[in-house]
Amino acid sequence: MYEKHLMICGATGCLSSGSAKVHQALVEELAKHKLEKKCRLVMTGCPGFCEVGPIIVIYPDEVFYCRLKPQDIPELVEKHLLGGEIVERLLYKGPDVDAPARFYDTIPFYRKQKFNVLRNSGIIDPENIDEYIMRGGYRALSRALKMEPMEIIDEVKRSGLRGRGGAGFPTGLKWEFTYKAVGDKKYVVCNADEGDPGAFMDRSILEGDPHAVLEGMLIAARAIGSDEGYIYCRAEYPLAIKRLKTAIAQAEEYGFVGENILGYGFNFKFNIKEGAGAFVCGEETALLASIEGKRGMPRPRPPFPATSGLWGKPTVINNVETYANIPLILREGGLEEFVKIGTEGSKGTKVFALAGKIRNTGLCEVPMGITLREIIFDIGGGIKGGREFKAVQAGGPSGGCIPAEKLDLPVDYDSLTQAGAIMGSGGLVVMDDRTCMVDLARYFLSFTQKESCGKCIPCREGTKRMLEILERITEGLGKPDDLDRLQELASTIKDSALCGLGQTCPNPVLSTIRYFRHEYEEHINEKFCRSGVCKSLFDYFIDPELCNGCTRCARICPVGAISGERKETHVIDPEICTRCGSCVERCRQEAIKVTRVRREADVNH
Amino acid sequence: MKRFIDPCCEKCNHSKETPCKDFVECCTNGPICHEDASCAAKRKAIIDRVALNEHFVIF
């Protein structure tokens, strides 16, 4: 029996911030003190709070240590494991707590979260099937195997579960269509081609709890009458793929996968298809084409995959998070618990990836219906550096931006759509007052334009023309009729593009025009970018009232554009300045301001 | 018995080739097909080895 369990985050986020080195230091330190038999060390899935990684939670004491470095480990072992004393300096500290916080219930990031899909992340060893079983795993499959297919489908329909990958289509209905479709062979496909910039929900679920996804797929297969499934996962998720392979091998050994599963005469096998990272392969028909070995391009629907999917056979395709919800619904009493959470039209929870200018970057799972304000300020901790919140981009490049006046919007499928965004797969990119909304629209459109597969003209040509206009505007060459033209093109693309990605790609442009039209007009008519992003449309100047002559700006300027004596007001030469913004970041007085470009006409005047 | 898939005694014959319908239930609440305190203890030992606290196991 172990006295302590040291659960160290081994997900991609914490690995990037050094958890493998912390793990190694722990291995060595435990060996040094001969604690290997008393202390269990586990590389877990993501506990969500990526901002403060690497993270270790020590059980049964339930102490959350964060921002760990290998050099912290001797003290941690000496004081906590040997001395029974909490190392206060390694606990969570921040402006949102009065004193160092010890665990989930005292850390504001976790207070409003509801762990359904992420129920096992950070709690279990994702490479140990026994632990998944202890946490109630494969009970839903056992139950489903005793049910008729339509009984399973009815429960999923009654749960109100909607697809977590983007469009929010009712999952049970999709399963019913596939069940009723005629076919000698049917497939279950998992879309793990998470492509939105800043989104990593599915990766974390696969890394932290792969069996939950497998169990969800097995139940789907039982419901529709399928004996084979594919998990389409981008190759740039190597850890997720490794853990999936391990999980499948273990499930096969335990008799949950293969022939005559648990003695019910049900057969199923998994295949993993590694994608090359094309954004368009997140679109279901393009994904299916890619599995078939064809170029990843969408095709017109109907027929929908439910009737004619992989190799022309009826196919259910859902994303990672959708499948991970299924075991919760199908286990004994699960449906009743599931429908208690969420709103009338959006049941359950949603996992979001918090990125951008937010203080607490990471992963959170919240009940549907929570407000954006609660997610961004109570969980996310507000804006980095205490700056002002400007907007949040919800739903990735297919989504839209939501401004500050909509912060009390409940987060559910219908409210977000009404606001001009979409739930999408769950990426939330937060922006502060230094973000230019015209440049933001240009960025997202440049992404979708580059990722356009080129099959349909509206997307291939339309996005290119829209991008050209946006580039002109950000370079100070905007024309008065540009906004009308952008809206006209956006409307045409939405109406006529072949696939969902094409139809939604104008959303960032439309939503920024809807909520930040004045910024576009300022760019076009006054040739001014007040956020200080579009380099042709502003100058920097140093406010003499605020400058204390500390010389930090002059020392950081890479082109020597700033001059001034120590303790005297400094000056920026706009002819030399490249507007890189280094001085702004460096100045502690916030003395460097954005101003309109002094054009020749202004000077003569 | 180090893992749930290992047989607790000769009476347990669950494997992928000879599957038992009660296997999942048996892992945390077993044995189901026979009564034997030592077989139950073997399962409990697997759980006790990794359970983080008293709320860890969901029966």
Side-chain angles (χ1 to χ4, degrees):
Chain A
M1 282 269 286
Y2 292 109
E3 290 173 13
K4 307 277 184 200
H5 304 269
L6 284 68
M7 312 303 276
I8 177 165
C9 176
T12 298
C14 271
L15 285 173
S16 305
S17 51
S19 71
K21 286 181 181 165
V22 173
H23 179 267
Q24 183 55 34
L26 265 168
V27 169
E28 290 165 14
E29 203 63 21
L30 292 179
K32 185 174 148 189
H33 295 280
K34 298 188 170 36
L35 288 171
E36 303 102 312
K37 290 186 180 168
K38 289 184 178 172
C39 301
R40 186 172 71 112
L41 185 56
V42 180
M43 287 292 253
T44 69
C46 179
F49 205 171
C50 307
E51 178 71 30
V52 298
I55 292 166
I56 292 179
V57 183
I58 299 183
Y59 290 88
D61 322 26
E62 302 197 349
V63 180
F64 180 99
Y65 290 117
C66 57
R67 299 186 197 279
L68 293 169
K69 297 180 185 65
Q71 53 268 35
D72 297 324
I73 299 307
E75 183 184 354
L76 188 78
V77 170
E78 187 81 30
K79 287 190 177 163
H80 190 130
L81 301 183
L82 293 169
E85 175 192 342
I86 290 175
V87 187
E88 201 163 286
R89 74 172 187 89
L90 299 175
L91 297 177
Y92 171 75
K93 292 181 278 294
D96 48 0
V97 290
D98 295 331
R102 182 176 150 153
F103 197 54
Y104 294 128
D105 52 347
T106 52
I107 299 174
F109 178 78
Y110 290 110
R111 259 185 223 148
K112 290 196 170 176
Q113 295 202 46
K114 167 75 183 164
F115 295 120
N116 264 4
V117 169
L118 300 176
R119 59 195 177 276
N120 291 328
S121 269
I123 302 287
I124 64 167
D125 177 353
E127 300 192 9
N128 183 351
I129 189 171
D130 284 348
E131 290 183 49
Y132 180 69
I133 292 171
M134 287 175 213
R135 298 282 296 159
Y138 289 111
R139 282 179 176 250
L141 174 66
S142 288
R143 183 168 171 266
L145 288 170
K146 296 173 193 146
M147 296 163 74
E148 291 298 318
M150 268 315 293
E151 287 180 305
I152 300 171
I153 291 167
D154 276 341
E155 286 208 0
V156 178
K157 282 169 76 176
R158 280 164 50 209
S159 75
L161 178 66
R162 296 170 67 172
R164 300 298 197 239
F169 191 81
T171 304
L173 204 55
K174 190 185 271 193
W175 289 18
E176 185 178 3
F177 291 151
T178 319
Y179 168 67
K180 290 181 175 168
V182 179
D184 55 345
K185 173 104 179 167
K186 295 181 182 179
Y187 291 100
V188 171
V189 174
C190 176
N191 184 344
D193 192 56
E194 188 173 47
D196 291 356
F200 50 96
M201 299 75 59
D202 292 349
R203 186 191 74 204
S204 293
I205 295 167
L206 290 172
E207 288 176 353
D209 199 10
H211 284 286
V213 181
L214 301 186
E215 189 179 1
M217 289 180 72
L218 285 160
I219 293 167
R222 177 67 170 178
I224 66 156
S226 164
D227 64 357
E228 189 168 5
Y230 281 83
I231 301 169
Y232 188 92
C233 185
R234 42 186 51 221
E236 65 215 59
Y237 285 180
L239 183 60
I241 291 169
K242 174 181 171 274
R243 291 199 169 146
L244 268 175
K245 287 179 176 171
T246 303
I248 292 169
Q250 290 175 347
E252 276 174 354
E253 185 190 4
Y254 274 56
F256 300 133
V257 176
E259 305 282 314
N260 191 24
I261 293 169
L262 293 180
Y264 286 90
F266 167 54
N267 307 329
F268 194 76
K269 75 168 193 174
F270 283 99
N271 303 282
I272 295 176
K273 172 77 178 175
E274 293 183 34
F279 182 63
V280 74
C281 285
E283 196 282 336
E284 61 182 15
T285 59
L287 183 152
L288 296 175
S290 179
I291 291 176
E292 291 173 3
K294 298 173 188 158
R295 183 169 168 186
M297 280 180 151
R299 62 160 174 79
R301 298 173 303 175
F304 288 93
T307 52
S308 179
L310 194 59
W311 287 295
K313 305 295 181 188
T315 302
V316 148
I317 175 163
N318 288 123
N319 90 326
V320 169
E321 190 180 338
T322 312
Y323 284 125
N325 270 292
I326 296 296
L328 289 170
I329 295 165
L330 263 292
R331 70 184 180 191
E332 195 67 50
L335 173 62
E336 291 74 19
E337 290 300 310
F338 188 86
V339 296
K340 283 181 193 165
I341 304 165
T343 62
E344 187 58 35
S346 305
K347 294 291 181 195
T349 60
K350 181 77 193 82
V351 182
F352 287 101
L354 304 176
K357 302 290 176 65
I358 197 161
R359 205 169 65 78
N360 299 336
T361 54
L363 209 62
C364 67
E365 182 173 7
V366 290
M368 294 276 197
I370 194 172
T371 65
L372 278 170
R373 186 185 301 279
E374 288 172 287
I375 296 178
I376 294 166
F377 287 91
D378 297 346
I379 296 171
I383 308 303
K384 264 184 192 158
R387 298 199 70 86
E388 198 182 321
F389 170 82
K390 186 168 188 178
V392 59
Q393 176 75 17
S398 305
C401 80
I402 298 167
E405 59 264 31
K406 299 269 181 189
L407 268 173
D408 292 313
L409 194 73
V411 173
D412 61 48
Y413 290 97
D414 307 317
S415 304
L416 286 175
T417 305
Q418 272 176 10
I422 58 169
M423 180 78 77
S425 59
L428 287 178
V429 182
V430 176
M431 290 155 275
D432 68 8
D433 55 349
R434 287 185 188 173
T435 308
C436 167
M437 303 313 285
V438 184
D439 184 66
L440 177 92
R442 183 202 59 74
Y443 165 74
F444 277 115
L445 203 69
S446 72
F447 177 85
T448 41
Q449 205 281 313
K450 278 181 197 144
E451 295 287 346
S452 171
C453 76
K455 185 170 181 176
C456 76
I457 295 169
C459 179
R460 185 184 67 223
E461 298 299 325
T463 55
K464 211 170 179 66
R465 299 289 88 81
M466 286 182 77
L467 183 59
E468 284 168 1
I469 294 171
L470 287 168
E471 283 174 347
R472 274 201 289 101
I473 295 174
T474 55
E475 286 163 8
L477 302 169
K479 299 172 190 169
D481 64 348
D482 275 346
L483 284 185
D484 291 339
R485 189 159 297 180
L486 277 173
Q487 285 177 307
E488 192 183 325
L489 279 164
S491 168
T492 306
I493 295 169
K494 278 176 91 75
D495 289 344
S496 55
L498 176 59
C499 76
L501 297 186
Q503 288 156 14
T504 54
C505 72
N507 282 352
V509 180
L510 289 173
S511 62
T512 48
I513 292 176
R514 179 174 169 184
Y515 295 117
F516 297 94
R517 191 181 184 93
H518 58 283
E519 285 198 27
Y520 280 88
E521 289 170 346
E522 212 164 37
H523 278 64
I524 294 168
N525 302 328
E526 300 173 40
K527 310 298 176 200
F528 179 45
C529 172
R530 67 174 55 245
S531 308
V533 174
C534 304
K535 291 187 178 181
S536 307
L537 301 181
F538 73 95
D539 277 340
Y540 284 125
F541 86 104
I542 298 175
D543 186 341
E545 299 290 317
L546 297 172
C547 178
N548 63 0
C550 71
T551 76
R552 287 169 64 86
C553 58
R555 281 182 280 139
I556 195 72
C557 179
V559 292
I562 303 176
S563 56
E565 295 299 318
R566 189 167 186 82
K567 297 191 177 173
E568 288 181 11
T569 301
H570 282 49
V571 178
I572 299 176
D573 184 342
E575 298 299 320
I576 301 172
C577 174
T578 59
R579 291 146 189 88
C580 69
S582 303
C583 53
V584 180
E585 299 297 326
R586 194 78 164 184
C587 180
R588 288 177 180 159
Q589 304 299 113
E590 296 199 8
I592 299 169
K593 307 291 186 191
V594 167
T595 183
R596 290 165 199 272
V597 179
R598 277 170 58 88
R599 296 174 198 283
E600 207 170 308
D602 303 332
V603 176
N604 290 340
H605 183 70
Chain B
M1 190 180 184
K2 289 186 176 169
R3 303 176 304 155
F4 287 142
I5 191 65
D6 300 330
C8 54
C9 67
E10 71 280 358
K11 289 178 186 158
C12 173
N13 55 13
H14 172 78
S15 71
K16 64 178 178 180
E17 291 81 16
T18 55
C20 172
K21 290 184 177 176
D22 292 325
F23 173 65
V24 178
E25 174 72 12
C26 194
C27 290
T28 47
N29 293 339
I32 306 285
C33 63
H34 61 284
E35 279 191 24
D36 188 320
S38 70
C39 290
K42 287 174 188 173
R43 286 168 174 79
K44 187 171 181 304
I46 294 173
I47 293 169
D48 288 347
R49 194 164 180 271
V50 296
L52 303 180
N53 51 37
E54 59 191 29
H55 312 297
F56 186 76
V57 180
I58 299 170
F59 290 102

